[in-house]
Amino acid sequence: MERIIMNDHRRLGRELGIFDTDPLIGSGLPYWLPAGAAMRKAIEDYVHELERRNGYQHVNSPVLGKRELYERSGHWSHYADDMFPPMNVGGEEFVLRPSLCPHHALIYRRRQRSHRELPLRLAELGGQYRSELSGVLGGLTRVRSISLNDGHVFCAPEQAAAEVSAALDLIEAAHARLGIRAARYRLSLRGDGDKFVDDPVMWARSEAVLREVLKERGQPYEEERGESAFYGPKIDIQIADPAGRESTLSTVQVDLYMPERFDLGYVGGHRPAMVHRSVVGGLERLVAHLIEVHGGAFPAWLAPVQAVVLPLSDAELPAAEDLLRRCVAAGLRAELAPADRGSLGARIRAHRLVPYQLVVGPREVASGLPAVRLRDGSQAGEVPIERLAAEARPLI
Ligand SMILES: [Zn+2]
């Protein structure tokens, strides 16, 4: 018998209106409902701002490219099993991209770079695609279409260790803000066979950088062979679901291969290193994990609905509608639950996951401030809307 998991994201995610699937779209291709789209936007805004403050420039690139691009990147010879077959358009072959790295390498290469521009940090929240078989697909954790928080740092080889460490700082900051705890850190090394680039000297150099950073940070980790990218070793930050199944959320990788393949350089005939990193991974897996960790009671900045306005009776409806408008104008995701939907107790129960429950009775109409009830049942008293809105911002 399959173990019943309380916070299984597949059940809870649909109940909470976060995502769903339709056989006509296809398995492994979930769509985001309004509650999920609101969470996604909050996460995107947070990560974008975190990256911006830490020296990243954001770019956008297409979700497909010519077959030759992936032949050049090495995906074609090492990663083709996971890629969708090419589409033939007027004699040219296009492939849904399996990763964003090749596009970013070309953005680096579009003009000559000087050492003063390095480290050049590019970030993008973009789509990438995996041709998973239908049998293994489910919910948001195994999907064919991934919205990846990705980034590539092009730097001098001697800057790579500092960049890896800075990426780990970002990951740890984001996890703390999201309420996520890592199950463990994994140093993912190459395995045998043709899935990995055959260049022992290159692998030894890139592994040494990751080991140095982990040691310097005093970070406990476990090594695992065969789990690296085809082009280089990775530090994977593993998370576990309520059943104990592990997966990789965030990752930092050192790559000396793609700079070679794309003939990247900077003035003086030098070859940069490429640090690939994802702070929060794919948004699908992240949101699945957040649903399971928080059971739907998300931190206020992430909650699909942050405030619900609860008039005691119809008499307070105009004041409640006015308060709702003020909440929305202040930046809160808010909704109104009028008295015709049941008793106050019933409406509070129906909105028990909403962080701020704003009760409006005759006294609150007079004062112009709502009586704020928190999710745990405690009373925060009369609080100005602007203060709640400030509390509910992604970055404080
Ligand atoms: Zn990459």
Side-chain angles (χ1 to χ4, degrees):
M1 196 179 80
E2 198 178 326
R3 195 173 142 198
I4 296 164
I5 295 159
M6 273 288 289
N7 289 344
D8 186 332
H9 85 273
R10 287 167 297 185
R11 179 183 60 76
L12 207 50
R14 287 177 172 91
E15 272 175 32
L16 298 172
I18 290 172
F19 77 98
D20 211 340
T21 49
D22 191 301
L24 204 50
I25 299 174
S27 54
L29 298 168
Y31 53 82
W32 298 82
L33 292 162
M39 288 181 71
R40 227 185 107 130
K41 180 72 168 57
I43 295 165
E44 284 182 37
D45 289 351
Y46 165 69
V47 174
H48 192 281
E49 184 60 13
L50 185 70
E51 288 172 338
R52 190 189 68 80
R53 290 185 190 196
N54 285 278
Y56 282 85
Q57 304 177 64
H58 290 89
V59 295
N60 294 106
S61 55
V63 299
L64 70 176
K66 281 165 69 173
R67 172 183 164 147
E68 289 84 347
L69 175 62
Y70 305 100
E71 287 174 346
R72 176 73 85 92
S73 67
H75 283 87
W76 204 260
S77 47
H78 300 283
Y79 198 75
D81 293 351
D82 294 299
M83 290 165 65
F84 280 94
M87 296 168 264
N88 194 315
V89 183
E92 287 183 306
E93 287 191 310
F94 293 91
V95 185
L96 276 172
R97 68 176 168 195
S99 80
L100 283 68
C101 333
H103 285 91
H104 289 189
L106 294 184
I107 291 171
Y108 177 89
R109 205 179 71 163
R110 63 180 281 272
R111 62 173 173 77
Q112 204 176 50
R113 304 289 182 178
S114 88
H115 72 275
R116 281 186 306 277
E117 286 179 84
L118 307 186
L120 182 78
R121 305 180 186 93
L122 300 179
E124 176 173 1
L125 192 121
Q128 71 175 36
Y129 303 86
R130 279 183 81 118
S131 75
E132 303 256 24
L133 296 176
S134 291
V136 301
L137 298 169
L140 291 175
T141 44
R142 292 297 290 271
V143 292
R144 287 170 162 151
S145 168
I146 298 161
S147 317
L148 186 68
N149 155 244
D150 206 1
H152 296 93
V153 182
F154 300 87
C155 62
E158 61 272 18
Q159 295 172 323
E163 289 302 315
V164 169
S165 198
L168 289 173
D169 286 341
L170 286 193
I171 290 168
E172 285 164 12
H175 285 198
R177 190 79 182 107
L178 290 158
I180 289 174
R181 218 180 327 215
R184 66 182 174 117
Y185 280 53
R186 184 176 79 182
L187 177 59
S188 298
L189 304 170
R190 71 184 289 208
D192 302 321
D194 57 7
K195 288 222 172 251
F196 304 93
V197 170
D198 184 22
D199 184 342
V201 176
M202 182 198 81
W203 284 92
R205 281 177 62 205
S206 43
E207 277 177 33
V209 175
L210 295 184
R211 285 183 206 281
E212 177 197 328
V213 173
L214 288 165
K215 191 176 163 210
E216 193 188 296
R217 294 173 71 90
Q219 175 63 53
Y221 64 96
E222 288 164 33
E223 291 185 12
E224 225 158 289
R225 299 232 147 249
E227 294 292 341
S228 72
F230 71 81
Y231 48 78
K234 312 190 283 169
I235 296 171
D236 290 326
I237 289 95
Q238 301 294 100
I239 52 169
D241 75 5
R245 280 183 299 250
E246 240 189 45
S247 57
T248 300
L249 187 70
S250 312
T251 181
V252 187
Q253 316 167 6
V254 170
D255 172 17
L256 304 171
Y257 177 73
M258 278 194 213
E260 203 68 54
R261 297 286 292 183
F262 285 100
D263 195 23
L264 306 184
Y266 55 98
V267 172
H270 305 290
R271 181 84 70 207
M274 210 169 148
V275 174
H276 306 234
R277 42 100 284 181
S278 179
V279 178
V280 296
L283 293 188
E284 291 78 11
R285 178 169 292 169
L286 172 64
V287 170
H289 190 63
L290 289 171
I291 294 169
E292 291 175 348
V293 167
H294 296 294
F298 302 106
W301 72 273
L302 264 182
V305 177
Q306 296 168 313
V308 59
V309 180
L310 303 154
L312 274 185
S313 73
D314 286 343
E316 290 86 22
L317 188 60
E321 284 170 340
D322 181 54
L323 179 63
L324 176 70
R325 276 191 293 274
R326 280 159 48 209
C327 286
V328 172
L332 287 166
R333 296 186 288 274
E335 63 184 41
L336 177 67
D340 61 9
R341 292 204 202 150
S343 69
L344 182 65
R347 284 179 283 150
I348 285 175
R349 273 194 301 283
H351 293 87
R352 65 188 180 285
L353 297 174
V354 177
Y356 307 126
Q357 299 154 8
L358 314 181
V359 180
V360 183
R363 223 181 66 188
E364 289 75 27
V365 172
S367 71
L369 293 174
V372 179
R373 184 186 184 280
L374 301 179
R375 213 154 33 188
D376 61 3
S378 63
Q379 305 289 337
E382 294 190 345
V383 184
I385 296 305
E386 292 66 30
R387 208 158 90 217
L388 296 181
E391 229 179 77
R393 274 186 204 119
L395 265 178
I396 298 173

